C-alpha cells in the first residue's frame, strides 16, 4: 500500500506535466506555461497553486477550451530555486513557445524572471499577493496589494485596539517593504511603532522577541513573519501567554496557520483577504465544492491557490475578448477598463494603469477555537497606489518596481 | 527589576537548551564517529513527526515523545547497517551519502505525508515574574538539556559500553583484536546519536510548525556547537553551548535576532581560529600540562 502511494505520488511530479483534453483534439492547443514550486521549502504553497491552475484548466477544457482551442498546461517545478526559475522561464518561452506564462511564489522569483519575460516581450501573470509596486506592461498581477490589504487592516486595528504597535517582520524584501507600508499608514493616524524587529528567515525560536514585546507594551502586533520556521512564533507566544491582538496581511488566508496549530495559538489574529476558505457566499461554496471533489486531501484552499485558479479565467476572458493571444491585443482589452470576471469572491477587474486587479476585501478575525469570522466587508477596492504615484502603463512602460521610498520621477 | 534579571537567565537557558539538544546526537555521530551527518536534521524531523502522529493517535505526550525518540534511534540503526558502515574512514563520502539521505527523507515525507502535519499545543502553561510571563515548558527543555548531558557523560564514561565505544572510536582494529564487537558498537553508537536527535525533535515538537524541511532549522546550530566543542563530546558540548548561548542571548536581547545570529557565527569563526581543536581540545591540553 505504501509503495503504491509512493509511486502514485512520484507520478504526479514529472518535470513537465501535460494536461490535454481529448474532446477538442482537432484545434491546436493553447499553451500555458506554469512555474510553481511543488517540492522544497515552498511546496506548502506551490501545491495548492498547481491545483488551482489544474482545476481551472480542466473546467475550461470541459467547456470547449479558449476560442475552441484546448488548453495545454505545461508545468515545471523550480523547487524554490531562482536560477531554475530563470532557466525554466527561458525554456517555456523560447523552446515551448507558450502563449502565456503564469506563476512564481516569492517576490525574488518574480523579479528573477521578469527581465526574461520583458526581453521575450511575453505576457506574464503573477498570482500572489505581494508588496506591490511593479509597473510593467508585460505583467498582470491578480493578487492583492498593500492598498487593498494594509491600508484597510492597519486603520481598523488602530481604531479598535490602540496606537501602540509592535512590528515583527521577516528580514528580507517583503518584510521590510511591508513594514515600511505599515509605518506610512500609521503615521497620519498618529500611531506609534513602539518596537520593530526583523527576524532572519529560518529562525524558529522567539523567547527573546516575546520578552521584547512584553517590555514595549504595545496595543497590538503587526505580524509580517514569513515561512514555517518563523510561524513557530505563534505557538511560543501563546505558551508564554502574550495574549495580544495581531494583524497581518499574510496570515490565515495564505498560510492557514489556524489549521496547522492547535487552538488557541492564532486567537485574535486579524487579516484582510480577497479569499479565504471560510468565505460562504453561494459562488464561493460552489467553487470550494468543485475544488474538494478534484483534490479531496487538500488541507485548505488558500488565497494563492484561489488566485492561480482566477488567473486562468482572467486570461480566458482577455483572449476571448481580444480574439487573440498577442500581448498588444490583450492589453487593448485591459485598456477598456472593464476587463473583469465574476470570480468566487465577486466581480474583479484589471486596472489599465497598473495592470493590477481590484478585489473584494474582507477583514477576518480568528477566535479562540480557530473559527474564522468576517468582521468587516470593505467592498471592492481598486489597486490605486501605482496610478496615484504616477505609473500609467497606457502611456509609458518603465518596467520598474516602485516603493513608498522609491517613486517614479515626476514629469 | 527581578523580572529583567530573571529574563536574562531564562533567555540564556532557552538558547542553551536549543544548542545542547540540537547538538547532542550530532556530537556522537560527527564528533565521536567522524560521520559528517547532513541528515541530522531529518533524524530530528523523524522524532517530531512520530511524536505528533502517536500523540494524535491518543498517547500521552511523554509516551509519544518516547516513541519519537525510539523511532529515530531505530531508523539510525537500520541506516547505519545499510549505508553508513562502509564510510567510517571516508568522511567526505559520508557527507555526500547523508546529504542524499536527507534529500530523500524530506522529499519522501512531502510526497507521502503532504506539505504540512498537525501540530501539538505547548503543555504546562505559563508563569509570571515581574511584568513578564514565561512558558513553563521551556524550563522543561532546559532540564532535559542538562539531563541529556548527564546521560551522555554517564553512558560513555561510567559504563562498560562507554569504554568499548571510546576504544572503538580511537582504534577500531586494536579494539577488535581485544574482543570488542566493533560493528555492534558502531551500530549502537549511531543509533544512540540518532535517538538523541529524535529526542530533540520530540521535545521541540509541541513548540513548532511541522513541515518536512523543518530539520534544516536545527542543523546550523548543531554543527556550530559540535565544531566549537571539539572532538570530545563529553568535555566539549556543554562549555561550547554555554559560551555560544551567552553570546547569542546577550546580542539577541540588546540588538535583536539578526545581530544575534551574525554574532553567533562570528564568535564561532574566532573560537575556531584561536582554539583549532575546540573547547575539548583546549581543556584536554590544559589538564595535560
Amino acid at each position: 500500500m505504501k509503495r503504491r502511494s509512493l509511486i502514485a505520488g512520484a507520478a504526479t511530479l514529472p518535470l513537465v506535466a501535460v494536461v490535454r483534453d481529448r474532446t477538442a483534439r482537432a484545434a491546436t492547443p493553447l499553451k500555458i506555461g506554469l512555474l510553481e514550486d511543488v517540492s522544497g521549502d515552498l511546496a506548502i504553497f506551490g501545491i495548492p497553486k498547481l491545483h488551482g491552475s489544474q482545476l481551472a484548466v480542466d473546467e475550461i477544457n470541459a467547456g470547449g477550451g479558449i476560442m475552441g482551442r484546448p488548453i495545454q498546461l505545461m508545468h515545471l517545478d523550480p523547487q524554490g530555486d531562482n536560477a531554475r526559475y530563470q532557466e525554466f522561464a527561458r525554456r517555456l518561452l523560447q523552446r515551448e513557445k507558450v502563449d502565456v506564462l503564469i506563476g512564481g511564489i516569492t517576490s525574488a522569483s518574480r523579479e528573477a524572471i521578469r527581465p526574461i519575460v520583458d526581453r521575450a516581450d511575453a505576457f506574464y501573470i503573477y498570482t500572489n499577493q505581494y508588496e506591490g509596486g511593479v509597473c510593467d506592461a508585460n505583467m498582470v498581477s491578480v493578487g492583492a496589494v498593500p492598498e487593498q490589504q494594509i491600508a484597510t487592516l492597519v486603520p481598523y486595528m488602530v481604531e479598535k485596539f490602540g496606537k501602540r504597535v509592535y512590528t515583527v517582520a521577516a528580514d528580507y524584501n517583503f518584510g521590510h517593504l511591508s513594514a515600511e507600508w505599515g509605518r506610512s499608514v500609521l503615521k497620519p493616524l498618529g500611531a506609534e511603532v513602539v518596537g520593530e524587529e526583523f527576524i532572519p528567515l529560518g529562525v524558529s525560536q522567539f523567547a527573546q522577541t516575546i520578552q521584547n514585546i512584553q517590555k514595549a507594551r504595545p496595543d497590538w502586533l503587526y505580524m509580517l513573519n514569513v515561512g514555517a520556521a518563523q510561524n513557530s512564533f505563534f505557538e511560543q507566544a501563546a505558551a508564554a501567554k502574550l495574549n495580544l491582538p495581531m494583524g497581518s496581511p499574510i496570515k490565515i488566508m495564505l498560510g492557514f496557520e489556524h489549521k496547522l496549530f492547535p487552538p488557541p495559538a492564532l486567537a485574535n489574529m486579524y487579516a484582510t483577504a480577497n479569499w479565504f476558505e471560510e468565505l460562504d457566499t453561494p459562488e464561493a461554496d460552489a467553487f470550494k465544492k468543485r475544488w474538494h471533489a478534484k483534490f479531496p486531501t487538500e488541507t485548505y484552499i488558500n488565497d494563492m491557490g484561489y488566485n492561480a485558479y482566477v488567473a486562468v479565467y482572467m486570461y480566458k476572458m482577455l483572449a476571448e475578448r481580444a480574439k487573440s493571444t498577442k500581448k498588444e491585443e490583450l492589453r487593448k482589452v485591459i485598456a477598456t477598463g472593464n476587463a473583469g470576471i465574476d470570480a468566487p469572491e465577486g466581480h474583479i477587474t484589471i486596472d489599465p494603469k497598473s495592470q493590477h486587479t481590484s478585489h473584494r476585501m474582507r477583514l477576518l478575525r480568528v477566535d479562540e477555537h480557530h473559527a474564522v469570522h468576517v468582521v468587516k466587508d470593505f467592498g471592492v477596492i481598486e489597486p490605486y497606489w501605482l496610478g496615484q504615484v504616477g505609473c500609467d502603463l497606457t502611456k509609458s512602460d518603465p518596467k520598474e518596481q516602485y516603493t513608498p521610498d522609491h517613486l517614479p520621477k515626476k514629469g | 527589576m527581578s523580572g529583567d534579571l530573571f529574563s536574562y537567565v531564562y533567555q540564556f537557558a532557552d538558547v542553551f537548551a536549543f544548542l545542547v539538544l540540537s547538538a547532542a546526537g550530532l556530537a556522537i555521530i560527527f564528533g565521536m564517529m567522524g560521520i559528517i551527518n547532513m541528515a541530522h536534521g531529518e533524524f530530528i524531523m523523524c522524532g517530531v513527526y512520530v511524536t505528533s502522529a502517536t500523540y494524535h493517535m491518543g498517547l500521552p505526550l511523554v509516551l509519544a515523545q518516547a516513541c519519537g525518540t525510539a523511532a529515530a534511534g531505530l531508523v539510525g540503526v537500520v541506516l547505519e547497517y545499510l549505508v553508513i558502515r562502509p564510510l567510517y574512514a571516508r568522511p567526505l563520502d559520508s557527507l555526500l551519502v547523508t546529504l542524499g539521505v536527507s534529500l530523500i527523507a524530506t522529499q519522501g515525507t512531502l510526497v507521502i505525508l503532504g506539505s504540512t502535519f498537525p501540530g501539538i499545543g505547548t503543555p504546562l502553561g505559563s508563569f509570571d515574574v515581574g511584568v513578564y510571563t514565561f512558558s513553563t515548558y521551556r524550563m522543561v527543555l532546559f532540564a532535559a538539556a542538562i539531563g541529556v548531558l548527564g546521560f551522555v557523560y554517564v553512558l560513555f564514561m561510567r559504563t562498560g559500553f562507554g569504554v568499548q565505544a571510546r576504544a572503538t572510536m580511537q582504534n577500531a582494529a586494536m579494539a577488535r583484536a581485544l574482543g570488542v564487537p566493533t560493528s555492534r558498537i558502531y551500530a549502537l553508537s549511531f543509533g544512540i546519536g540518532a535517538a538523541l536527535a529524535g529526542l530533540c525533535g520530540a521535545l521541540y515538537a509541541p513548540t513548532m510548525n511541522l513541515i518536512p524541511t523543518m530539520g534544516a532549522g536545527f542543523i546550523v546550530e548543531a554543527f556550530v556547537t559540535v565544531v566549537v566543542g571539539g572532538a570530545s563530546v563529553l568535555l566539549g558540548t556543554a562549555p561550547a553551548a554555554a559560551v555560544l548561548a551567552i553570546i547569542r542571548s546577550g546580542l539577541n536581547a540588546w540588538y535583536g535576532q539578526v545581530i544575534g545570529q551574525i554574532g553567533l557565527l562570528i564568535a564561532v569563526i574566532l573560537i575556531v581560529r584561536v582554539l583549532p581543536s575546540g573547547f575539548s581540545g583546549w581543556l584536554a591540553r590544559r589538564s595535560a600540562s
Side-chain angles (χ1 to χ4, degrees), chain A residues 10-44:
Chain A
T12 61
L13 300 169
L15 268 182
V16 180
V18 179
V19 180
R20 282 174 212 269
D21 180 49
R22 295 196 178 94
T23 57
R25 208 179 278 159
T28 43
L30 190 151
K31 290 182 180 175
I32 293 182
L34 185 68
L35 294 174
E36 303 292 8
D37 306 306
V38 297
S39 55
D41 276 344
L42 296 170
I44 178 173

Tab-separated table of all heavy atoms in Angstrom, chain A residues 10-44:
chain	number	residue	atom	x	y	z
A	10	ALA	N	4.902	9.950	-6.838
A	10	ALA	CA	6.028	10.319	-7.688
A	10	ALA	C	5.541	10.618	-9.103
A	10	ALA	O	6.061	11.488	-9.783
A	10	ALA	CB	7.052	9.183	-7.706
A	11	ALA	N	4.481	9.913	-9.542
A	11	ALA	CA	3.994	10.108	-10.905
A	11	ALA	C	3.342	11.468	-11.080
A	11	ALA	O	3.214	11.955	-12.190
A	11	ALA	CB	3.001	9.007	-11.262
A	12	THR	N	2.937	12.092	-9.980
A	12	THR	CA	2.338	13.416	-10.121
A	12	THR	C	3.391	14.509	-10.197
A	12	THR	O	3.077	15.659	-10.347
A	12	THR	CB	1.400	13.743	-8.943
A	12	THR	OG1	2.183	13.720	-7.761
A	12	THR	CG2	0.256	12.761	-8.861
A	13	LEU	N	4.661	14.160	-10.079
A	13	LEU	CA	5.700	15.182	-10.078
A	13	LEU	C	6.695	15.006	-11.225
A	13	LEU	O	7.894	15.055	-11.005
A	13	LEU	CB	6.477	15.136	-8.753
A	13	LEU	CG	5.692	15.369	-7.476
A	13	LEU	CD1	6.546	15.031	-6.267
A	13	LEU	CD2	5.231	16.791	-7.390
A	14	PRO	N	6.242	14.798	-12.446
A	14	PRO	CA	7.223	14.756	-13.528
A	14	PRO	C	7.661	16.171	-13.849
A	14	PRO	O	7.024	17.133	-13.425
A	14	PRO	CB	6.423	14.164	-14.685
A	14	PRO	CG	5.023	14.548	-14.405
A	14	PRO	CD	4.880	14.674	-12.922
A	15	LEU	N	8.770	16.295	-14.582
A	15	LEU	CA	9.268	17.636	-14.888
A	15	LEU	C	8.241	18.426	-15.685
A	15	LEU	O	7.981	19.574	-15.415
A	15	LEU	CB	10.570	17.527	-15.675
A	15	LEU	CG	11.816	17.543	-14.802
A	15	LEU	CD1	13.049	17.487	-15.651
A	15	LEU	CD2	11.824	18.780	-13.907
A	16	VAL	N	7.674	17.817	-16.712
A	16	VAL	CA	6.665	18.516	-17.483
A	16	VAL	C	5.363	17.739	-17.358
A	16	VAL	O	5.257	16.620	-17.814
A	16	VAL	CB	7.058	18.619	-18.966
A	16	VAL	CG1	5.980	19.354	-19.743
A	16	VAL	CG2	8.387	19.326	-19.101
A	17	ALA	N	4.403	18.349	-16.689
A	17	ALA	CA	3.104	17.699	-16.562
A	17	ALA	C	2.212	18.261	-17.658
A	17	ALA	O	2.019	19.451	-17.766
A	17	ALA	CB	2.509	17.973	-15.197
A	18	VAL	N	1.722	17.406	-18.509
A	18	VAL	CA	0.942	17.866	-19.651
A	18	VAL	C	-0.509	17.447	-19.462
A	18	VAL	O	-0.800	16.287	-19.225
A	18	VAL	CB	1.500	17.275	-20.947
A	18	VAL	CG1	0.656	17.741	-22.132
A	18	VAL	CG2	2.944	17.693	-21.140
A	19	VAL	N	-1.393	18.411	-19.504
A	19	VAL	CA	-2.804	18.111	-19.346
A	19	VAL	C	-3.494	18.426	-20.678
A	19	VAL	O	-3.441	19.544	-21.162
A	19	VAL	CB	-3.423	18.972	-18.230
A	19	VAL	CG1	-4.901	18.652	-18.079
A	19	VAL	CG2	-2.673	18.741	-16.946
A	20	ARG	N	-4.084	17.445	-21.267
A	20	ARG	CA	-4.778	17.660	-22.533
A	20	ARG	C	-6.244	17.295	-22.384
A	20	ARG	O	-6.616	16.474	-21.563
A	20	ARG	CB	-4.205	16.729	-23.604
A	20	ARG	CG	-2.897	17.164	-24.205
A	20	ARG	CD	-2.443	16.034	-25.119
A	20	ARG	NE	-0.995	15.966	-25.152
A	20	ARG	CZ	-0.260	16.611	-26.043
A	20	ARG	NH1	-0.823	17.385	-26.932
A	20	ARG	NH2	1.047	16.492	-26.032
A	21	ASP	N	-7.065	17.863	-23.210
A	21	ASP	CA	-8.447	17.444	-23.242
A	21	ASP	C	-8.690	16.708	-24.543
A	21	ASP	O	-8.433	17.215	-25.620
A	21	ASP	CB	-9.375	18.659	-23.141
A	21	ASP	CG	-10.818	18.218	-23.167
A	21	ASP	OD1	-11.155	17.295	-22.407
A	21	ASP	OD2	-11.583	18.763	-23.963
A	22	ARG	N	-9.205	15.485	-24.410
A	22	ARG	CA	-9.285	14.629	-25.602
A	22	ARG	C	-10.430	15.042	-26.526
A	22	ARG	O	-10.443	14.717	-27.689
A	22	ARG	CB	-9.450	13.169	-25.185
A	22	ARG	CG	-8.223	12.677	-24.443
A	22	ARG	CD	-8.169	11.161	-24.339
A	22	ARG	NE	-6.944	10.780	-23.657
A	22	ARG	CZ	-6.872	10.558	-22.357
A	22	ARG	NH1	-7.944	10.627	-21.625
A	22	ARG	NH2	-5.731	10.242	-21.797
A	23	THR	N	-11.420	15.754	-25.973
A	23	THR	CA	-12.579	16.072	-26.792
A	23	THR	C	-12.253	17.151	-27.835
A	23	THR	O	-12.933	17.255	-28.841
A	23	THR	CB	-13.737	16.578	-25.927
A	23	THR	OG1	-13.277	17.705	-25.205
A	23	THR	CG2	-14.230	15.506	-25.000
A	24	ALA	N	-11.262	17.967	-27.602
A	24	ALA	CA	-11.005	19.085	-28.503
A	24	ALA	C	-9.673	18.899	-29.219
A	24	ALA	O	-8.877	19.809	-29.321
A	24	ALA	CB	-11.030	20.391	-27.740
A	25	ARG	N	-9.437	17.689	-29.714
A	25	ARG	CA	-8.119	17.373	-30.232
A	25	ARG	C	-7.825	18.091	-31.554
A	25	ARG	O	-6.691	18.309	-31.926
A	25	ARG	CB	-7.994	15.854	-30.404
A	25	ARG	CG	-6.568	15.356	-30.277
A	25	ARG	CD	-6.533	13.841	-30.425
A	25	ARG	NE	-6.863	13.160	-29.177
A	25	ARG	CZ	-7.295	11.898	-29.115
A	25	ARG	NH1	-7.513	11.207	-30.214
A	25	ARG	NH2	-7.540	11.337	-27.973
A	26	ALA	N	-8.884	18.451	-32.255
A	26	ALA	CA	-8.695	18.980	-33.601
A	26	ALA	C	-7.927	20.304	-33.596
A	26	ALA	O	-6.954	20.471	-34.337
A	26	ALA	CB	-10.046	19.171	-34.272
A	27	ALA	N	-8.337	21.264	-32.753
A	27	ALA	CA	-7.706	22.578	-32.765
A	27	ALA	C	-6.317	22.511	-32.151
A	27	ALA	O	-6.052	21.672	-31.299
A	27	ALA	CB	-8.578	23.558	-31.998
A	28	THR	N	-5.402	23.421	-32.573
A	28	THR	CA	-4.081	23.453	-31.943
A	28	THR	C	-4.227	23.949	-30.513
A	28	THR	O	-4.939	24.933	-30.268
A	28	THR	CB	-3.130	24.419	-32.682
A	28	THR	OG1	-3.869	25.598	-32.980
A	28	THR	CG2	-2.539	23.794	-33.902
A	29	PRO	N	-3.582	23.272	-29.580
A	29	PRO	CA	-3.772	23.671	-28.183
A	29	PRO	C	-3.151	25.039	-27.887
A	29	PRO	O	-2.182	25.455	-28.528
A	29	PRO	CB	-3.072	22.570	-27.393
A	29	PRO	CG	-2.300	21.779	-28.359
A	29	PRO	CD	-2.726	22.114	-29.735
A	30	LEU	N	-3.742	25.713	-26.911
A	30	LEU	CA	-3.204	26.968	-26.411
A	30	LEU	C	-2.327	26.609	-25.219
A	30	LEU	O	-2.769	25.930	-24.297
A	30	LEU	CB	-4.373	27.854	-25.998
A	30	LEU	CG	-4.111	29.307	-25.648
A	30	LEU	CD1	-5.344	30.123	-25.967
A	30	LEU	CD2	-3.755	29.446	-24.187
A	31	LYS	N	-1.070	27.050	-25.258
A	31	LYS	CA	-0.134	26.582	-24.231
A	31	LYS	C	-0.017	27.583	-23.076
A	31	LYS	O	0.292	28.756	-23.304
A	31	LYS	CB	1.257	26.390	-24.836
A	31	LYS	CG	1.363	25.221	-25.785
A	31	LYS	CD	2.800	25.115	-26.256
A	31	LYS	CE	2.992	23.958	-27.208
A	31	LYS	NZ	4.372	23.943	-27.736
A	32	ILE	N	-0.247	27.089	-21.860
A	32	ILE	CA	0.006	27.892	-20.664
A	32	ILE	C	1.245	27.330	-19.977
A	32	ILE	O	1.268	26.164	-19.603
A	32	ILE	CB	-1.190	27.853	-19.697
A	32	ILE	CG1	-2.401	28.557	-20.318
A	32	ILE	CG2	-0.824	28.501	-18.364
A	32	ILE	CD1	-3.616	28.595	-19.411
A	33	GLY	N	2.274	28.165	-19.839
A	33	GLY	CA	3.472	27.755	-19.119
A	33	GLY	C	3.298	28.107	-17.637
A	33	GLY	O	2.935	29.234	-17.303
A	34	LEU	N	3.535	27.142	-16.760
A	34	LEU	CA	3.287	27.366	-15.330
A	34	LEU	C	4.543	27.057	-14.533
A	34	LEU	O	5.129	25.987	-14.686
A	34	LEU	CB	2.130	26.458	-14.883
A	34	LEU	CG	1.646	26.644	-13.449
A	34	LEU	CD1	0.976	27.995	-13.286
A	34	LEU	CD2	0.680	25.538	-13.071
A	35	LEU	N	4.973	28.009	-13.685
A	35	LEU	CA	6.125	27.790	-12.811
A	35	LEU	C	5.635	27.822	-11.370
A	35	LEU	O	5.290	28.881	-10.855
A	35	LEU	CB	7.171	28.889	-13.024
A	35	LEU	CG	7.849	28.913	-14.399
A	35	LEU	CD1	8.750	30.149	-14.519
A	35	LEU	CD2	8.670	27.659	-14.610
A	36	GLU	N	5.553	26.665	-10.737
A	36	GLU	CA	5.175	26.619	-9.314
A	36	GLU	C	6.056	25.611	-8.598
A	36	GLU	O	6.323	24.533	-9.117
A	36	GLU	CB	3.702	26.214	-9.142
A	36	GLU	CG	2.688	27.100	-9.855
A	36	GLU	CD	2.559	28.514	-9.293
A	36	GLU	OE1	3.361	28.903	-8.421
A	36	GLU	OE2	1.663	29.236	-9.757
A	37	ASP	N	6.464	25.965	-7.361
A	37	ASP	CA	7.335	25.087	-6.572
A	37	ASP	C	6.502	24.014	-5.886
A	37	ASP	O	5.799	24.309	-4.926
A	37	ASP	CB	8.054	25.909	-5.496
A	37	ASP	CG	8.785	27.094	-6.087
A	37	ASP	OD1	9.588	26.880	-6.997
A	37	ASP	OD2	8.538	28.233	-5.645
A	38	VAL	N	6.570	22.781	-6.378
A	38	VAL	CA	5.826	21.722	-5.681
A	38	VAL	C	6.755	20.794	-4.910
A	38	VAL	O	6.332	19.769	-4.387
A	38	VAL	CB	4.935	20.913	-6.646
A	38	VAL	CG1	3.869	21.797	-7.260
A	38	VAL	CG2	5.753	20.248	-7.730
A	39	SER	N	8.047	21.141	-4.845
A	39	SER	CA	8.941	20.456	-3.910
A	39	SER	C	9.806	21.520	-3.251
A	39	SER	O	9.812	22.668	-3.675
A	39	SER	CB	9.781	19.398	-4.631
A	39	SER	OG	10.484	19.976	-5.692
A	40	GLY	N	10.526	21.127	-2.208
A	40	GLY	CA	11.334	22.114	-1.475
A	40	GLY	C	10.499	22.858	-0.448
A	40	GLY	O	9.341	22.533	-0.207
A	41	ASP	N	11.117	23.900	0.138
A	41	ASP	CA	10.516	24.623	1.264
A	41	ASP	C	9.157	25.247	0.941
A	41	ASP	O	8.338	25.444	1.825
A	41	ASP	CB	11.444	25.763	1.698
A	41	ASP	CG	12.513	25.274	2.639
A	41	ASP	OD1	12.343	24.163	3.172
A	41	ASP	OD2	13.500	25.994	2.844
A	42	LEU	N	8.946	25.631	-0.324
A	42	LEU	CA	7.732	26.373	-0.665
A	42	LEU	C	6.607	25.463	-1.151
A	42	LEU	O	5.569	25.948	-1.598
A	42	LEU	CB	8.054	27.433	-1.723
A	42	LEU	CG	9.027	28.516	-1.257
A	42	LEU	CD1	9.484	29.365	-2.419
A	42	LEU	CD2	8.378	29.395	-0.198
A	43	ALA	N	6.814	24.143	-1.059
A	43	ALA	CA	5.815	23.201	-1.577
A	43	ALA	C	4.449	23.424	-0.938
A	43	ALA	O	3.413	23.254	-1.584
A	43	ALA	CB	6.283	21.773	-1.336
A	44	ILE	N	4.456	23.841	0.327
A	44	ILE	CA	3.192	24.053	1.033
A	44	ILE	C	2.317	25.066	0.284
A	44	ILE	O	1.096	24.974	0.292
A	44	ILE	CB	3.464	24.490	2.488
A	44	ILE	CG1	2.165	24.771	3.228
A	44	ILE	CG2	4.359	25.690	2.563
A	44	ILE	CD1	2.353	25.042	4.697
